[in-house]
Amino acid sequence: MPHRSPGLPGPAVDRLHLATGLVLVLSGLLHLLVFAVDGGPWDGPVSWRKPVTFGLSFGVTLITVAWVTSYLRMGRRLRSGLLTVFAADCVVEVGGITLQAWRRVPSHLNMETPFDTAVSMTLAVGGGVLVVLLALFAVSSFRNRPTGPAGMPLAVRSGFAVLLVALASGAAMIARGVVLTRTGHQEAAYHSTAALKPLHGVSLHAVLVLPALAWLLSRTSWSEQVRHRIVAVGVGCYAAAVAAAGVWAVLTY
């Protein structure tokens, strides 16, 4: 099965994904500056927090997925195609959230006007696309052992497994909010996601932290056995953090 050298800059399409991710990160940082100048609340459904955090999170996630999937044993064309759709979806998500922030209206679960409903539904559908794409990458990581230095296969598989928790919690937030919105509890819908946000946030970036740990360890002179054990400990610690966030979600849901 065609596969390029893992962990290295690849074809032009890979560089395009990395550049797109960087633009999204810069968008988040730019809106942090806007917040510093314009002020206003940091929390709540209408704030500059959303374009900041979503720009940074989606940008980092896109860069991460573009890098980490280079360790997967899957065809180059399939991987590039999935990454292209993923990158476009990330742009749509951040773009919709940023647009609504400048309009000073909520971006998610907002059914106040036909336009707001269209934006909200686009973001919801985009979230569904993200779930499908990342689930496909996760399945690929478990079907065929990822490549890479000692500990990297474990890190990649664990990262994608924890990422599935983030996707599930994100879907749960959207589902609960939609139900509240459809039953006439619009304001409650805006605040219904608070309990799941820590779980979603913690589990979202395991796919970066754990492979990055394996990559950093590969730069040391330690034996493969030692490096693999350290990655295993890192996986255990991350799992404990996710479990703690899960307990918090259950207690406060």
Side-chain angles (χ1 to χ4, degrees), residues 201-214:
V202 170
S203 54
L204 185 63
H205 295 296
V207 73
L208 167 62
V209 174
L210 297 176
L213 173 62

Side-chain angles (χ1 to χ4, degrees), residues 95-184:
I97 290 163
T98 302
L99 170 66
Q100 296 297 71
W102 281 96
R103 293 182 67 234
R104 302 300 176 95
V105 296
S107 54
H108 292 86
L109 308 173
N110 184 358
M111 311 293 180
E112 297 293 335
T113 69
F115 182 80
D116 291 329
T117 299
V119 173
S120 181
M121 293 307 297
T122 298
L123 295 176
V125 172
V129 173
L130 292 176
V131 170
V132 172
L133 294 173
L134 292 173
L136 288 174
F137 285 131
V139 169
S140 177
S141 73
F142 283 96
R143 286 188 60 185
N144 300 290
R145 188 174 186 273
T147 61
M152 185 61 77
L154 173 62
V156 170
R157 285 175 167 174
S158 300
F160 274 116
V162 176
L163 181 60
L164 294 179
V165 176
L167 299 179
S169 60
M173 286 192 288
I174 293 174
R176 187 184 190 194
V178 168
V179 169
L180 289 171
T181 298
R182 296 298 186 187
T183 54

Side-chain angles (χ1 to χ4, degrees), residues 6 71 145 147-154 214-215 217-219 224 227:
Y71 294 102
R145 188 174 186 273
T147 61
M152 185 61 77
L154 173 62
W215 182 83
L217 289 171
S218 71
R219 267 48 188 173
E224 290 190 359
R227 283 183 279 146

Side-chain angles (χ1 to χ4, degrees), residues 3-98:
H3 185 73
R4 66 180 177 82
S5 299
L8 299 175
V13 67
D14 278 21
R15 293 194 292 273
L16 176 61
H17 298 147
L18 296 176
T20 303
L22 181 59
V23 169
L24 295 180
V25 170
L26 292 177
S27 173
L29 294 176
L30 173 63
H31 283 89
L32 184 60
L33 178 61
V34 172
F35 170 71
V37 173
D38 187 60
W42 180 252
D43 295 321
V46 181
S47 71
W48 292 116
R49 169 186 57 83
K50 300 193 75 173
V52 171
T53 56
F54 278 82
L56 293 174
S57 183
F58 271 92
V60 170
T61 299
L62 175 55
I63 293 171
T64 298
V65 171
W67 170 57
V68 171
T69 54
S70 69
Y71 294 102
L72 300 182
R73 296 181 184 273
M74 64 189 311
R76 177 180 292 182
R77 289 184 178 179
L78 175 60
R79 173 178 170 272
S80 295
L82 294 178
L83 280 177
T84 298
V85 177
F86 183 74
D89 202 8
C90 288
V91 172
V92 170
E93 291 289 303
V94 175
I97 290 163
T98 302

